[in-house]
Amino acid sequence: MKLPSLNVQILLGAVFGVGLGLYFHSLGSESNLVQTSLYASGLVGTLFIDLLKMILIPLVFCSISVGIANLRQHQQIHQVWVKTLLFFISSMTIAMVLALVASNYFKPGTGLQLVMFQDAMQNFEAKQLPLPEFFAQFLHGLFLNPFTALSQGNVLAVVVFALILGITLVMGGERFKNILSLLQEGLDVTMHIVSWVMRLAPLGIMALLIKLITVQDAAMLSTLAKFVAVVVGSLLVHGLILLPLILYLFTGRSPLWFWRGARESLITAFATSSSSATLPVTLRCATQHLHVKPEIAGFVLPLGATINMDGTALYEAAAAIFIANLVGIELSMGQQLIVFFTAMIAAMGAPGIPSAGMVTMVMVLQSVGLPAEAIAILLPVDRLLDTLRTAVNVEGDMVGSLVVQKLVMQKST
């Protein structure tokens, strides 16, 4: 009997994962069946993520180096670089404007009392990092010993070194053709390994979703329902309407065509909550299903996985307004602009910082004088919201690669 396609298997795995997670949640955490299932799900889910992370660094290193070399040979690197950054900044701007408009209109947090969350705030120690120190750490994290960056899995530092290496390979010309050929073969090998890892994807995604849904705190979700609804609604509007609209306006491609090609990557991003861990799948979808040229995908997607965070920026802007409403502070237009720029910088710089999500969220709150400890209020719902915002982050990267490719092709014709 012929098995369904991998795309269909992943979709079925996600559906079964959600269904079993809801069933186990209804049984309660004391059930032996639930405890055994959570243990098994943890093993399978962790194995899947570890396999993706295992291949991540060699894939990023080879794809960026080879992509830059191929782009330079066609005199396209400047166009791709400029258009990629413009797209990333524009899409994050749209996401944050949407979050601020929705938060100001629906005002999540008004009517709730801060006393409800007093215990959580007292038991949480916020890791505070002033903006100047954040910049210093971010810049310091860009230029590391490449072997240290590779061994530590520092994606942003690997991206920077691979960029420099790719440019050097082109400027060296024929002298370095053997190294370029070796890197190309390395990229082919890593993509082959990715295809093996993807055979485990349906089980891995099902296991991750079972664990995610089973352990959710339903009481806290209902308490923060309005905030969760605003964030989820904003993410859905950005992911289902605005990004597909941008794609259609620039490339003429329909959203259905895009979602069919990107489905593996979006479901993996939703289940793993990690743009970086999903990157091997994203590259595979972009080159094989969406027909993005390998040199453009190899440049845009690894860079996007580290600095293009539409969903994260949207979430941090909405969270700042929510906490302001909760403590009874009405942020002025000027303060909201500060939130806007701080959230963008924080989202772009997050990968270079230890405990990135916590540190950057605290930085956004501190920029307008909100209590850093209030981040503890968000922790019970953060894991659930992280799934959707990661999927939006990855969608933004793939849409960006398609838009950049179209713009570059128009310019060269």
Side-chain angles (χ1 to χ4, degrees):
M1 188 179 72
K2 188 178 179 182
L3 287 172
S5 69
L6 182 61
N7 236 326
V8 173
Q9 289 179 47
I10 287 173
L11 188 60
L12 289 172
V15 171
F16 281 124
V18 170
L20 286 170
L22 291 171
Y23 173 65
F24 292 148
H25 187 84
S26 68
L27 293 179
S29 59
E30 301 303 316
S31 165
N32 287 333
L33 174 63
V34 171
Q35 291 179 2
T36 305
S37 299
L38 281 176
Y39 175 74
S41 298
L43 285 179
V44 176
T46 302
L47 173 64
F48 177 58
I49 291 178
D50 286 346
L51 285 169
L52 288 173
K53 287 182 176 177
M54 174 190 75
I55 203 67
L56 171 65
I57 293 298
L59 181 62
V60 169
F61 179 68
C62 293
S63 65
I64 284 272
S65 301
V66 171
I68 287 289
N70 290 336
L71 287 172
R72 290 281 298 197
Q73 286 171 349
H74 295 94
Q75 303 299 311
Q76 292 177 324
I77 182 59
H78 179 69
Q79 293 177 44
V80 173
W81 176 261
V82 171
K83 288 173 173 58
T84 299
L85 287 184
L86 284 175
F87 177 86
F88 288 170
I89 292 169
S90 301
S91 63
M92 278 199 288
T93 297
I94 292 167
M96 281 188 291
V97 168
L98 174 64
L100 292 173
V101 169
S103 297
N104 279 293
Y105 183 79
F106 292 105
K107 300 187 182 301
T110 49
L112 293 178
Q113 298 297 318
L114 202 60
V115 180
M116 298 166 62
F117 309 102
Q118 208 65 47
D119 288 342
M121 289 173 65
Q122 284 177 351
N123 296 329
F124 178 78
E125 186 179 345
K127 294 181 180 178
Q128 303 186 16
L129 190 67
L131 191 58
E133 192 177 333
F134 173 87
F135 269 122
Q137 283 202 23
F138 175 65
L139 291 173
H140 176 67
L142 290 179
F143 305 100
L144 294 179
N145 179 318
F147 297 103
T148 302
L150 289 165
S151 64
Q152 292 179 350
N154 188 324
V155 179
L156 193 56
V158 171
V159 166
V160 171
F161 180 72
L163 284 169
I164 296 168
L165 178 62
I167 294 169
T168 308
L169 289 175
V170 173
M171 295 182 73
E174 287 296 304
R175 261 197 311 165
F176 302 143
K177 68 176 183 179
N178 290 337
I179 297 176
L180 179 56
S181 177
L182 182 65
L183 287 169
Q184 180 64 65
E185 289 183 11
L187 179 58
D188 294 341
V189 167
T190 51
M191 288 303 290
H192 197 71
I193 296 172
V194 169
S195 69
W196 291 349
V197 174
M198 287 307 295
R199 294 179 187 178
L200 185 63
L203 279 176
I205 285 166
M206 183 174 73
L208 289 166
L209 291 176
I210 287 172
K211 190 172 181 182
L212 169 68
I213 292 170
T214 302
V215 300
Q216 280 305 302
D217 185 343
M220 188 55 74
L221 278 175
S222 62
T223 305
L224 300 176
K226 194 171 183 180
F227 169 67
V228 171
V230 167
V231 173
V232 169
S234 300
L235 287 168
L236 290 176
V237 168
H238 190 67
L240 298 180
I241 298 174
L242 297 179
L243 284 174
L245 180 62
I246 292 169
L247 178 68
Y248 179 75
L249 291 175
F250 281 93
T251 70
R253 291 290 193 174
S254 74
L256 288 177
W257 171 85
F258 173 78
W259 286 321
R260 273 197 300 268
R263 185 163 54 193
E264 287 177 22
S265 178
L266 295 177
I267 294 174
T268 306
F270 184 88
T272 61
S273 298
S274 171
S275 302
S276 293
T278 307
L279 183 57
V281 189
T282 308
L283 275 164
R284 183 174 182 270
C285 286
T287 53
Q288 295 183 13
H289 304 326
L290 301 177
H291 311 299
V292 181
K293 290 181 179 178
E295 58 267 27
I296 289 179
F299 175 81
V300 176
L301 294 175
L303 196 62
T306 55
I307 69 169
N308 183 42
M309 303 287 175
D310 291 14
T312 303
L314 184 155
Y315 170 74
E316 292 191 350
I321 302 295
F322 166 70
I323 289 170
N325 291 336
L326 198 61
V327 299
I329 297 172
E330 187 168 343
L331 298 180
S332 66
M333 185 59 70
Q335 288 174 311
Q336 291 192 35
L337 280 173
I338 292 170
V339 167
F340 175 92
F341 288 112
T342 311
M344 178 177 282
I345 293 165
M348 293 178 78
I353 302 292
S355 306
M358 297 301 164
V359 174
T360 55
M361 189 66 241
V362 169
M363 195 174 76
V364 173
L365 296 180
Q366 285 184 319
S367 69
V368 284
L370 295 172
E373 294 76 15
I375 193 175
I377 299 165
L378 305 173
L379 294 180
V381 296
D382 183 73
R383 179 67 183 87
L384 185 64
L385 294 176
D386 198 14
T387 59
L388 198 55
R389 67 179 187 250
T390 304
V392 171
N393 288 344
V394 170
E395 182 187 1
D397 295 343
M398 285 192 284
V399 169
S401 67
L402 286 160
V403 169
V404 169
Q405 176 169 266
K406 184 68 174 180
L407 293 174
V408 170
M409 286 171 63
Q410 284 177 345
K411 187 81 173 177
S412 59
T413 54

